[in-house]
Amino acid sequence: DENIREKYKNEPTISLYVKETGNVKEVNMEEYLMGVVAAEMEPTWPENALAAQAILARTYTLKKIEDGGVLKRGTDASTDIEEFQAYDPSRINQNVGNAVKKTRGQVVIHNGKVINAWFHADGGGKTAANAGEGLDYNKEATPYIKSVKNPGFKITKPENKYWTAVFPLHVVRERIKNYTGSDPGKIANISILERGP
């Protein structure tokens, strides 16, 4: 898309909050992406897999910056995985460098705009039907997000496949109150009444 090409004709320099030191540093986009790809995937994986991750990470980064970056930090990006993507430059190897270089400047767009390029380590067998269902994201339409079956690739860390989320009853009660507008009162039990697609 010509508008995207014109907007990003020069490689962006981004402000990066470094959680480990509490400092903010300026870094070139492609250099930053090498640290992201190295942290988000195994650096020894096939170069084309790393290249696909580089495109998604670049797209994700640009979209987040367009949406205001890390507001809490006043920066474009953060090394805190609670706020942004994983980042570990110590894991960069030639494989990662080649993957980022061969995709330099490539992003995913839809209708002339950079997409929300969410990614995950494991889809739990099947990805969510849409961004609203899976991520509670309703800020804008995301017709490019489709439900797909997990192709069954092995992952490196079991905690990405099997995990548990625990919510105290007072939090559940507050969420129900916020969603329905009325307090459900003391919660004695919970059951699943309906599942999404």
Side-chain angles (χ1 to χ4, degrees):
D1 183 86
E2 287 306 312
N3 291 333
I4 300 291
R5 281 192 223 290
E6 182 60 29
K7 186 174 183 178
Y8 296 109
K9 64 183 174 185
N10 297 317
E11 178 182 355
T13 298
I14 65 171
S15 57
L16 177 65
Y17 169 75
V18 182
K19 178 185 176 184
E20 297 73 20
T21 65
N23 295 329
V24 174
K25 70 177 186 176
E26 300 289 312
V27 63
N28 290 338
M29 173 68 80
E30 301 299 309
E31 178 187 340
Y32 165 70
L33 288 171
M34 284 192 270
V36 171
V37 172
E40 290 286 357
M41 305 212 15
E42 287 300 321
T44 56
W45 284 358
E47 192 175 297
N48 283 341
L50 299 174
Q53 180 65 41
I55 293 168
L56 290 177
R58 187 180 295 108
T59 304
Y60 178 89
T61 302
L62 288 179
K63 175 64 173 158
K64 292 290 275 186
I65 291 170
E66 286 179 2
D67 289 348
V70 184
L71 299 176
K72 176 179 177 181
R73 306 288 177 197
T75 59
D76 295 322
S78 169
T79 65
D80 186 339
I81 61 169
E82 299 288 321
E83 299 171 346
F84 221 74
Q85 305 170 100
Y87 176 80
D88 187 351
S90 72
R91 291 170 43 103
I92 297 170
N93 63 12
Q94 186 173 353
N95 210 25
V96 169
N98 290 344
V100 172
K101 285 175 190 155
K102 81 189 250 184
T103 64
R104 183 177 174 82
Q106 294 180 24
V107 295
V108 182
I109 59 172
H110 180 266
N111 288 342
K113 294 183 180 176
V114 176
I115 70 163
N116 286 290
W118 297 295
F119 51 86
H120 55 269
D122 192 291
K126 185 177 184 181
T127 60
N130 59 58
E133 179 188 59
L135 300 169
D136 196 26
Y137 182 86
N138 298 298
K139 183 178 171 186
E140 62 190 73
T142 56
Y144 44 83
I145 301 294
K146 306 286 185 200
S147 179
V148 295
K149 286 185 179 179
N150 185 350
F153 298 127
K154 292 181 181 177
I155 59 172
T156 57
K157 298 176 183 173
E159 63 265 25
N160 289 333
K161 190 170 187 79
Y162 303 104
W163 53 272
T164 302
V166 177
F167 303 95
L169 279 178
H170 75 275
V171 171
V172 175
R173 182 176 175 178
E174 188 64 30
R175 295 289 167 89
I176 291 170
K177 184 179 174 183
N178 291 344
Y179 185 76
T180 64
S182 63
D183 189 338
K186 184 177 178 183
I187 298 172
N189 60 53
I190 296 175
S191 60
I192 297 171
L193 300 178
E194 182 181 347
R195 292 183 184 273

